[in-house]
Each structure stands twice: as C-alpha cells, then as structure tokens.
Amino acid sequence: MPVLHSSIDTASDTYQSNRRALLDLLAEHDEQLALACAGGGERYVARHRARGKLLVRERIELLLDPDTAFLELSPVAAWGTGYHVGASIVTGVGVVSGVECLIIGHEPTVRGGTMNPVTLKKNLRAFEIARANRLPVINLVESGGADLPTQADLFIPAGNIFRELTQLSALGIPTIALVFGSSTAGGAYVPGMCDHAVLVDQRAKVFLGGPPLVKMATGEESDDEELGGAEMHSRISGVSDYFAVDEIDCIRIGRQIVADLNWRKLGPGPSKPADEPVHDPDELLGIASADLRIPFDPREVIARVADGSRFDEYKPLYGTSLVTGWASIHGYPVGILANAQGVLFNDESKKATEFILLANQTDTPLVFLQNTTGYMVGKDYEQAGMVKDGAKMINAVANSAVPHFTVIMGASYGAGNYGMCGRAFGPRFLFTWPNARVAVMGPQQLAGVLSIVARQGAEAAGTLFDEEADAAQRQGVEEQIERESKALFMTGKLYDDGIIDPRDTRTVLGIALSAAHGQTIEGRRGFGVFRM
Amino acid sequence: MKRLLVANRGEIARRVFRTARAMGIGTVAVFSDADEHAPHVGDADLAVRLPGTTPAETYLDIGAVLAAARSTGSDAIHPGYGFLSENAAFARACAAAGITFVGPSPEAIEAMGSKIAAKELMAAAGVPILPGATVTDGEALPDVGFPVLVKAAFGGGGRGMRVVRSPGELADAVASAQREAAAAFGDGTVFLERYVEDPRHVEVQIFGDTHGTVIHLYERECSIQRRYQKIIEEAPSPAVDDERRAALGAAAVKAAEALGYVGAGTVEFVMDQQGEFFFLEVNTRLQVEHPVTELVTGLDLVELQLRVARGEPLPLPPPLRGHAIEARLYAEDVAAGFVPASGRIHRFDVPGDVRVDTGYEAGSTVSTFYDAMLAKVIASGDTREQAVGRLAEALTDARIHGVPTNRELLVRVLRHPEFQAGNTDTGFLDRHDLAHVEVPDDVRLRHAVAAALAAAAERRQSAPVQPHVPAGWRNVPAIPQVASYDGIEIRYRYTGDGVEVEGLGGVRVWSAEPNGVDVTIEGVRRRIAVERVGDDTYVDDADGASTLRAVPRFPLPDAAVAAGSLLAPLPGSVVRVLVEPGESVRRGQTLVVLEAMKMEHSVQSPSDGSVTDVRVAVGDQVESGQVLAVVDE
C-alpha cells in the first residue's frame, strides 16, 4: 500500500496562524472541560468528600483497568444552555476487566446528581452507543432523580431510560448498576432494571418513596435503611445482588462482575499492521484551517491518522473534490471519504456512492472526514442532475450497514452534512475539531439569502425596501449564525460526541473502531455495485 | 580416592565437587527432603536422599551419611564446614568403615572441640592465650575479670555467645547460653573468657600433611561481623605487617604442631588495637572464608585437602600475592535485626570480575531449615583498594530478587571510609549503624516511577483490547493515574512523550518495557531494570536496589487481619506456646516463642488483655506474617 507524502510547510504563515488559532480554540475548550470537571464547585465537592465519598471521575478511574484509555463522550454537553457544563453526568468508553464498557456516572455534586433534559439526552446517547456497538453498560448511580423544575421537558422522554435499559438486556448487552448513593423514586428502577446491582452499605438508598412520602401516603413510620438500604436489599428484597462495604468494595465487585461476563466481541477485530503514521500528528494543528474559506488537502490528515500513513486511493483522477480510499487505523481496515475542495459536484457524489457500496461488499467500516460547503448549485449542475446524484450519495450513506465514523474537521454546511454522514445519519461516533462550523449554510450566505428574499418580497408588494434596516438585520443574522454554528454550540446541543484535539484523531478513531467491533461488521447486500 | 561423598549441602558441596571433578574423582551428594531440588544435588555424579528436613535427621545423622557412602561405593567423605566437619565420632566412624575422612584425626578434632582443653594445650605449647575458665554446675562462677565472653564450650559459629560487662548480668547470661548450647550441640557446657574490647579477628590458615610437615598460608582478617558472624573477610589483614605476619604464622604453626595436625585448619586469634594477639580456637576444617586465601596464594585448598588425604606431601607455601576480599551474602532482613529470610529466588545475577561460590540459582528456594547464606562473593586485586572496589561494584550491580538480602549493608561497609582506611574491628557495625540506612527518598521515588512505567508497559503488552491506544490516554485529563507501593505512592499523568509525576515533574520516557525503562528524570537519562514477580517489583539501577510491594487496588474486605493479631515476625518453627485461649495476659508478656536459624524470638503481647485465639502449636512451621495468636484488649 502506498505511503502518503506530506508537502506541508511548517514555517509558512498559514501553518503558523492555523496552529495559533487551533491552540486558542483548544484552550477555550479546556476551560470548559475544567468547568465540567469542577462539578458543583468547591463547596459541594468539599461536602461530598466530607461524607467520605469519591467524586464521579474518581469512581471511574478506579473502575477502569490501570493505564487504559478513557474516551469521555460529550464532556461539555449543555454548553450555552444554562445547565451545568457537562450536563451533570459523565459518559464514556473505558476498559474494565479487559472489556470495553460504556460507563455512565452521575455527577452528585451538581444538584444532587439530578437529571435535566440535557442530562437525559446525553444519557440516551450513551445507551444508543452501547446498543449499536454492543458495549456492556455500567451505571455509577447517585442521583436524586429528576431535576423537578425541569420535569415538563423531562418526564415523558425519561421513560426511555427504563425502556433502553431493559431492551439492552434483551439484546444480551449486560447492564450493571453500582449504587453509591440516592437512587430514589424513578431512579430506583435503574438498579431494578439492570442485570446486576451492587449497593454500598449505609450509602445506597433505593426506594420508590422516602420516609416523608411514605408517611404522607400511608401513615407508616420508616427510615431510609428499612426502605432502601444496601443490607435490606441484599438480604430481604433481592434488589441488590451484592452488598458492598464501601465504595471501593463496590467498584471491586463491579469489576468482578465484568470479568465474569466472559465477554466476547463479535467483530472480526484488527487485521492489519498497526504501526504509527510516518508523519507527525502534532502537525494537524497547522493543517486544519482556522479560516474555513481556505480548503486543505485531507491526505495530509489521513497521513497523520492512518497506520503507517498508508492510503490506497480509489478513483484518484475522478471527482477530485472528494478523496476516497482504503487504509487502516490501529489495524482496523477502513474506507475513508474526505472532502478536498469543499464542494460536492455530480462526479464526487457518484464516486462516493460507488465507494460506499464497495465498502458494504467487503464489510469495511467507513470514516467520513468532513470539510464541505455542500452540494454544488447552479444551472449546469442542476441540469446535470445534481439532485439525483446527491440523492444517490445520501441514499447510499443512509442505507449503508457498516459502522460509520464521522469527524468534522472544518465546514459542514447544507446537505453536505447529510451526505458526509452527519448526526442524523447515525454514525457510531461523531467528533468535531474545535475549528469546525456546522450550519445549513455559511452565515454570510444565509444572511444574504434572507436579504434577497426580503428585497424580492418588498418589490412584489411594491413597498419601499429599507436598506438600513436590512444591513442591520443582515449583520444580526450573520452574528447569530456564526455563534450557532460554532463547535462549542453544536457540542453543547449534543450534535456530536465531543470536541477532540485534532492531534488525538487517530487515538479517538482507534478506540471508536475497537468499540464498534463489539458488534458484527456486516455491510448491506442485495444488489451488486452499480457503476453510477 | 575414586569417589568422594560430600556430607554437606549448598555452596561448599558444590565447591568440593568442582575440585573433585577437576582431579578426576567421582562425586556423590547427599540431600535432605528440603534440598531435593537444590543445585548441589545435580552437580554430583550420584546423589542419595537423607530422609527428613532438620539437620539432626539428615546432614548430622552419621549412620545415614555412612549408609549413603556405602550404597554409592564412596571411598572418601569430605565433611565441608559445619554439620559433621568437627565431629570426632564421625571421623572415627569413617575410619571404622574404611572410608577416608578428609580432615584431621579424631584426636585433633577432640582436642580442639573443647575450647578449654584446647587453650590448656596451646598454653603449654607456648601460644599466647586469654584468661578463661569453664562453668561447673553447682559451683560459683569463675572470675576471669570483665568484660567477659560467655560461650558454648562445644560447637562454634557464634551460637550462644554473649558479652557481659557487669557481674549482675552474668548468671542470666550463663543460664541462657547453657540452654542454647544444649539445644544446638547436645552439650550445655559453657565457658567464660576475658573479652578484648574493639578486637580484630585475625586467623591463620594452616595445613599439615602425613609426612609431618606443617605450613601456614598467611592470615585472614574477619573483623566485620554482625551478631558474631563474619560477613566480610580478607587476606591479608590491613593491620598486619610482615613482622607480625611472621609472628602469627609461627604461633599458628606451633599450635598445629602441638596437635600433630593433618589437613586444613584455621588458628583463630583475637588481636587488640596494639597488635597483640591471643589464641582463640582452632577450627579443624575448611573455613567458609577459605577462598580469600586461595586468591592470594593461587592454591586450591580443597585440592590440597584431597592430596593430603591421599597421603601426598604438601608443596612449599607460595608467596603472598595481592589482596582478596570476600563478602557473605545472606538472605535476611537487615533492618529488622538481621532476621533470616526464606523464599524463592527469582533472579540471581552477580556480574563482574568476581568469584561467586553459591548453593543457589534462580528458581532455588531458601528454606528455614539451614543457614541463610546465599553466596560468597570474592574479589581480588593487586591492592586492597582495587579488590574492595571490585567487590563493591559487583555487589552493587548484582540483581537478587525474591528474598531480602544484606547486599546493601555489605556495599555500605565496603564503601565506608573507615573500612577503606583499614580501621576494622569486630565492633565496626556497632559503631557505624549501616543496617538502618534507608534507600534515599529520591532514589525510591525514581524506582517507583520505573516500576509503574514497566507495569504499565506489561499491561499494555497483554491488553486484550485497544493495545495500540497510548497508555492512560484521556481526552479529559482530570485525575492522575496512581501506582501504590508499600510506603510510596506515585501519581502521574501521561504526556505526549512521557509522564508528569507529582512531586517530581516531567519524565521523558525513551522506552518502557516490562523488564526495564529508559527515562530522563531531572536531566539525567537512566536505564532502570525492573522485574515483577507477583506483587513484588524489584528495581535495580546505578543508585541501588529497591523491592516495591504493590498495594492492592482493591483489598478484599475480609482480608484485613483482626485487631490484636500477633504475627510471626519471621519464618521459623514454634518452640513454645505459653498461653491458652481465655488466659489474661499483660503487656510485654511472651506468648509464643519461635526459633528461626540460630535464634529464639519471643512474640509478646502488645497490650494487657485476654487471649481470644491461639492459632499455632509447638512444632508448627510458620511463615512470616502468619497469625500466631489474637489478644483482645
């Protein structure tokens, strides 16, 4: 397989200014990560510790095998929403007793670990990843249930937590609840519906109604331990399978449960040499465009992500605005589709369609590296059937059955977002570089379109068009779209699985691929491969 | 002499086999049940089991040893040192069985076996002696002045020895010595002798042949001792000049001639700071420390022993050449008071230009039944400085994993300015507390970092999933990784090219493998060797060695020892159980007595209270850390 050459000039102004801009964006992201890690703030963290409890990330660290990786998902979810950055819950893929698991931990220092609508969305996305990739689920439970003032947007969809947990179990995907504290009311059903439950002595409280509620409902006098303590549930009700003397013991038992699953991944696993890329991934910071009007060669990215920088390009002379080809990451074979000049023309769409069909023939997962301004518009292209060709590509992406992984490394505008496997197309994982912009179209274009439409409306109505008001409105819209297409905004809304440092792209995709191989890897068959 | 049985074990058996093989003499080993896998067994052409494990059942059983000789057609027996080497009855039994005993006559052994008779004989022959007298039951204790040394009249090796500086302590010391002597040698007779303060222990190698020739092969100095056991021996003594050497040699030859001595022997003297020397005793055997004499004379003393036993005449003594020094490497916990250690040896490498006489190799087990000496490491050179330097270097570079050793202590002695200046006497280790020098904190921290990195590499190599993902990778680096060892915990985060260690800073990792790491720490690039065996990690580098015991991440809740449990401080056998469950005890009261090696160890109640459980009985073998009894406050 040919090894990609690199032609970047690390001394160039473009490289240097990209690098500076990316480092600034990463620093901005790091600030948000720090906020997420700080939980409910010093006072609540101190109170939590004073109770002899571990923080959620400490619980996760102990749960993980030493020196293994943890890929945290959507760590700054809820950014810009007014809720706690991180959405009061930690989710991620980690290795426990040699098994890749989907770990979900409540953040008890933020409003008692209660769930708001973003918490729910993040939790459900974690379940979705566990289901698609067949990852055992470990819940680190300490939550007061619903964040009651938000119940209107929460109560109805939160039923999906119960439904997902039981359906995961039905699919043979193990579910484990390690209960460190409150798991009350609706929360009581989490250990109740998991395959395995471990309760911590004197800490776990698993009941539908606490003493005050019971008193109000039936007049019965009771205490926490009688209603939902670890000892009671381990000895009497059977809600708990294991009685843990403390948090450490609980985590030990959780690890033992995973070890005893005798878990086997169903995917074929890695089959290629997994040597490091020839070119330095650090240089990705200077390659990624900070100014999205300037395209960059995605081969420079592939050369810093693929094993040994090896890449077998498919149809290199045809539809050159989209690069397609075969490579491997951490030994897992992949097909890669990467935007080169941003625009998807007719040929690019047909090339992508064929490539996706081929990948399905060979059960090869696909990686989409997005930097697209969308499908081409204009007379020539419409007349050449741009709609038909775009539809072919979107059809292929939508119905492809091999795992998809998407990295938004620049622009993601218009239907290009769909054709290149945006969030709505169900990629197993979708990550964003901090310089990314995602919107129906660019801010200037969008504001301009609105302006033109308004002007036409005024003309049709025969009214006077207010140029001054239009200019102000254009600027306002531009600013709004600019703000709403930022990576932090998108990740805050859980439209991705997190912003990643471009230098980590290979590692992140390696973990994602390994996770995806938990499930069988089978492409869509039926028709042969159409030459479009 | 066609076939030689060695009635011994360990390094000395192997040492004798080596020479016998070179001389074309067949070899026979004997082995106890505890030694069935010992290397000396495989070294011999034939080997015979001596059923049992204790010395009395095996290597001390004259009948069993002679039966082994008969069944293998052995025509000679070399007794080594210790065990039957100074047993006149055994020498006689060999003669009666028509087997050559490689050693002096039974009469010579007997004459020197009683230290009292030996001194009388030597005094008569004109050899200078110290005042002393035997303790007789029922009579007043003899007065030889103070300080006084109390010791067993029969036997050797420091067993039962005590120094008494005031009359009030004498009676207790005598009683105690009588008990230990009776237990160890079957004869409780005790001898009192004037004690020389700050003496040097100087001994002269003698050899006699059947043609009436007696020669001496110069002196050895063995002043560096712990608990009356030699640990460093050298030849020549730095305190002996040519004139005194001649005087010592003449006195030793005189002693040997008085005995009509045949074979290898050692005349031990105690020498005061002015250089005056007094006769101490004659050891009628090959000494542990004989190799230093071999290296300064070029002779093979075992070969000489065998030639003398065959009736050949001795050669002329060769001139003294250069300097040689030996260190005895013991399996012991130095800091805990030289407590003997047992266990399986995982690695045993002593590199360098040194001679290593050992009865162990990687995979061997050090049992609690016999002496815990692992090896003798011997270096030589043109000068004392050179020999000492070579020995210290070899010991520093040695990698011995599985049991604690006195290696660090030996290195500290060898590198001590007083030692290097030749200012040695038997009180050296009392004056210089080298036993309690800890590995410096910075070295230990570096070793812990190396252990953690090697452990991470080992885990990465055997990772069932994500083997190519960088170790400890995080996209949200919130909490450091923790590696916890007994007494030291390190917290570290992975960076692109290494780790950031709390309290140490950035560590550049050039390579990390399970068996070692190549790292730059605080500006110095180091290769640090690591070996993990179970929970123990052995770390060696140019700055020393550490054994790090991993603290389990998840202790089992029921694994904790109940409060008030008394644990065996060392492996050994239970000789007395002084309490029963339910009994009230006072703080400091002895509850159980263990015997390990040559010492009795009392296990005392930590508090006033009552005994709730006694888990051992007399005769039990216990491991270090085993619960003996439980006391409830």
Side-chain angles (χ1 to χ4, degrees), chain A residues 33 37 57-58 61-73 75 93 95 98-100 245 248-249 251-252 255 265 274 276 330 500 504 507-508 510-511 514, chain B residues 452-457 459-460 463-483 491-492 494 499 552-558:
Chain A
L33 289 179
C37 294
R57 284 185 172 77
E58 292 171 337
E61 287 291 338
L62 262 176
L63 181 65
L64 297 172
D65 292 354
D67 304 300
T68 56
F70 184 59
L71 173 59
E72 195 173 322
L73 300 167
V93 178
V95 182
V99 179
E100 285 155 322
V245 299
I248 308 275
D249 193 35
I251 292 167
R252 175 186 69 82
R255 290 177 50 78
K265 294 168 75 171
E276 291 293 311
H330 287 191
I500 60 168
D504 286 336
T507 298
V508 170
I511 295 172
S514 181
Chain B
L453 289 171
R459 284 191 286 268
R460 295 312 296 151
V465 295
Q466 302 180 3
H468 304 292
V469 174
W473 182 86
R474 297 285 181 275
N475 57 334
V476 183
I479 291 173
Q481 304 275 311
V482 177
R491 301 165 74 82
Y492 59 100
Y494 288 93
V499 288
R553 274 177 106 200
F554 302 101
L556 287 177
D558 53 0

Side-chain angles (χ1 to χ4, degrees), chain A residues 60-346:
Chain A
I60 291 171
E61 287 291 338
L62 262 176
L63 181 65
L64 297 172
D65 292 354
D67 304 300
T68 56
F70 184 59
L71 173 59
E72 195 173 322
L73 300 167
S74 302
V76 298
W79 182 92
T81 62
Y83 294 115
H84 171 252
V85 173
S88 342
I89 194 166
V90 179
T91 64
V93 178
V95 182
V96 178
S97 300
V99 179
E100 285 155 322
C101 294
L102 199 296
I103 298 166
I104 301 171
H106 296 129
E107 171 55 274
T109 66
V110 179
R111 296 176 68 80
T114 53
M115 174 173 281
N116 61 50
V118 190
T119 320
L120 174 65
K121 203 170 171 189
K122 185 165 163 181
N123 196 342
L124 290 176
R125 170 60 185 159
F127 284 153
E128 192 174 284
I129 289 171
R131 180 194 283 248
N133 301 293
R134 210 169 148 272
L135 302 177
V137 175
I138 305 175
N139 295 282
L140 308 178
V141 182
E142 180 166 16
S143 165
D147 187 359
L148 292 174
T150 70
Q151 71 88 28
D153 293 326
L154 181 71
F155 170 58
I156 299 299
N160 278 313
I161 298 259
F162 301 177
R163 181 167 172 272
E164 280 290 332
L165 272 177
T166 49
Q167 290 195 343
L168 285 169
S169 181
L171 288 167
I173 298 170
T175 51
I176 298 164
L178 307 180
V179 186
F180 298 97
S182 287
S183 177
T184 52
Y189 285 110
V190 170
M193 269 169 306
C194 280
D195 297 349
H196 308 272
V198 188
L199 270 59
V200 175
D201 187 26
Q202 302 298 322
R203 303 276 189 216
K205 290 180 184 49
V206 180
F207 42 60
L208 299 179
L213 193 147
V214 171
K215 172 82 172 160
M216 290 304 295
T218 67
E220 186 186 30
E221 295 282 352
S222 55
D223 64 29
D224 284 354
E225 279 297 305
E226 290 172 311
L227 291 174
E231 182 144 8
M232 187 285 283
H233 279 310
S234 301
R235 289 185 189 281
I236 302 172
S237 75
V239 167
S240 162
D241 305 307
Y242 302 90
F243 172 86
V245 299
D246 55 22
E247 293 205 12
I248 308 275
D249 193 35
C250 182
I251 292 167
R252 175 186 69 82
I253 296 168
R255 290 177 50 78
Q256 191 58 51
I257 290 169
V258 177
D260 291 336
L261 294 174
N262 305 315
W263 192 247
R264 276 177 302 117
K265 294 168 75 171
L266 299 183
S271 56
K272 302 275 170 115
D275 46 326
E276 291 293 311
V278 175
H279 304 290
D280 188 354
D282 189 62
E283 293 164 350
L284 286 168
L285 290 187
I287 292 166
S289 278
D291 179 350
L292 296 186
R293 286 168 304 185
I294 303 168
F296 55 92
D297 186 348
R299 293 174 194 84
E300 296 286 4
V301 176
I302 295 166
R304 287 161 182 81
V305 170
D307 293 334
S309 303
R310 288 181 295 273
F311 185 60
D312 256 351
E313 197 165 338
Y314 167 76
K315 271 186 159 53
L317 305 177
Y318 182 87
T320 53
S321 183
L322 181 76
V323 173
T324 54
W326 310 107
S328 67
I329 299 171
H330 287 191
Y332 295 97
V334 289
I336 296 176
L337 299 92
N339 302 107
Q341 271 84 44
V343 189
L344 291 160
F345 299 93
N346 302 72

